[in-house]
């Protein structure tokens, strides 16, 4: 059965579309077969030419359900669903049909408020720092901002996907034959990180830690984790 990853969140400009394409590309670099499923009706689907992944036009709910149903039958495929902004109802549907759900957010107080609400609403979703600053001062400020969050939210935040100007390339109607190395590297790293969620979901880690604590050998298990 195909695995379905959704990138959602009730705010525009957080990087959902960029991350959908970058992750799709990155997963193909890890040898997976991938469909990037575009559900945002405000966005024209992009040409598949030159891409390592398939693009599915799923701008209507009917088309989306058909695409996901079809994907589910395809062994070893991964579907990456790009959500749209301000679509709370659609987000709930995407959440329910997905194995992994990502909530990108940027380093602003407003984004943090939104992502906390979404983490609350979607208990199995992961928050993904997006377009994260590389500059030392900005990075420190962003880290301090995250440190203000309650632990229950902080422990569901993945390592950041940094600002990467080359990420725009995959959003072009047609991609160039040769992609920048930084884009390939960033995409591969992102894909590895997301695949780790499949292999070692939070529940399993939490369960393992809980069992270890009961057995009194937490340090050993924690090292392994
Ligand atoms: N990691 C990144 N590095 C640099 N620019 C980015 C990154 N992620 C997104 N952007 C830019 O931010 C803007 C919004 O991104 P987009 O993916 O369209 O967000 P959304 O789909 O959530 O509305 C776009 O101009 C995009 O090029
Ligand atoms: Mg978008």
């Amino acid at each position: 059965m195909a695995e379905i990853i959704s990138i959602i969140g009730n705010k525009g400009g957080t990087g959902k579309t960029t991350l959908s394409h970058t992750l799709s590309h990155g997963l193909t670099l890890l040898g997976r077969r991938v469909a990037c499923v575009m559900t945002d009706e405000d966005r024209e689907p992009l040409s598949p030419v030159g891409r390592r992944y398939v693009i599915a036009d799923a701008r209507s709910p009917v088309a989306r359900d058909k695409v996901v149903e079809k994907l589910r039958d395809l062994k070893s495929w991964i579907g990456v669903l790009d959500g749209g902004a301000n679509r709370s109802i659609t987000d709930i549907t995407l959440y329910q049909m997905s194995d992994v759900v990502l909530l990108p957010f940027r380093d602003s107080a407003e984004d943090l408020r939104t992502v906390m609400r979404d983490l609350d609403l979607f208990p199995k979703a992961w928050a993904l720092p997006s377009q994260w600053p590389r500059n030392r001062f900005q990075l420190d400020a962003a880290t301090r901002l995250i440190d203000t969050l309650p632990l229950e939210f902080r422990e569901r935040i993945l390592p950041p996907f940094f600002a990467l100007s080359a990420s725009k390339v995959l959003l072009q109607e047609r991609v160039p034959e040769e992609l920048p190395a930084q884009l390939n590297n960033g995409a591969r790293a992102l894909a590895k990180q997301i695949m780790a969620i499949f292999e070692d979901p939070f529940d399993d880690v939490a369960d393992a830690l809980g069992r270890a604590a009961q057995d009194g050998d937490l340090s050993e298990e924690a090292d392994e984790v």
Side-chain angles (χ1 to χ4, degrees):
M1 214 164 73
E3 286 146 339
I4 304 291
I5 302 170
S6 278
I7 306 189
I8 60 173
N10 204 14
K11 190 170 180 294
T14 56
K16 291 183 287 294
T17 304
T18 304
L19 286 164
S20 302
H21 286 270
T22 310
L23 177 59
S24 296
H25 179 66
L27 289 166
T28 69
L29 295 176
L30 300 185
R32 300 300 301 253
R33 286 195 283 185
V34 184
C36 185
V37 184
M38 312 296 299
T39 78
D40 191 347
E41 60 261 2
D42 294 332
R43 217 152 174 151
E44 290 296 313
L46 304 165
S47 164
V49 176
R51 293 176 202 273
R52 298 171 59 96
Y53 53 92
V54 169
I55 291 194
D57 181 358
R59 283 174 292 169
S60 76
V62 174
R64 178 199 63 211
D65 291 351
K66 269 193 190 148
V67 167
V68 172
E69 199 180 318
K70 188 141 198 182
L71 270 174
R72 285 283 186 204
D73 287 342
L74 297 173
K75 254 207 256 150
S76 82
W77 276 69
I78 298 187
V80 179
L81 276 63
D82 173 29
N86 299 316
R87 295 193 305 162
S88 312
I89 306 286
T90 308
D91 274 3
I92 291 170
T93 312
L94 294 183
Y95 177 76
Q96 285 166 345
M97 57 173 55
S98 303
D99 305 297
V100 167
V101 176
L102 305 174
L103 299 164
F105 68 101
R106 298 189 56 191
D107 61 326
S108 76
E110 193 202 343
D111 271 39
L112 239 63
R113 275 195 300 276
T114 311
V115 82
M116 277 205 288
R117 212 183 43 220
D118 285 342
L119 281 170
D120 217 17
L121 191 62
F122 303 120
K124 285 201 163 176
W126 298 86
L128 176 57
S130 164
Q131 217 171 322
W132 215 243
R134 293 171 186 272
N135 166 292
R136 187 78 249 163
F137 292 106
Q138 277 177 289
L139 183 59
D140 286 349
T143 307
R144 279 199 299 277
L145 203 59
I146 292 219
D147 284 345
T148 63
L149 298 185
L151 180 64
E152 58 181 300
F153 294 124
R154 257 187 293 143
E155 62 189 10
R156 289 166 64 198
I157 299 178
L158 297 169
F161 185 75
F162 287 97
L164 181 67
S165 64
S167 64
K168 289 186 187 67
V169 171
L170 290 175
L171 267 59
Q172 289 171 10
E173 158 66 9
R174 280 187 176 235
V175 300
E177 253 169 54
E178 189 124 359
L179 295 177
Q182 302 101 303
L183 177 57
N184 285 334
N185 294 341
R188 201 182 285 109
L190 175 68
K192 276 189 185 158
Q193 184 191 307
I194 302 308
M195 288 317 289
I197 299 179
F198 283 112
E199 283 149 21
D200 210 0
F202 175 73
D203 279 355
D204 292 359
V205 177
D207 284 354
L209 286 172
R211 275 198 310 276
Q214 274 167 17
D215 298 346
D217 63 345
L218 182 63
S219 56
E220 226 175 85
E221 281 273 339
D223 276 342
E224 268 176 38
V225 170

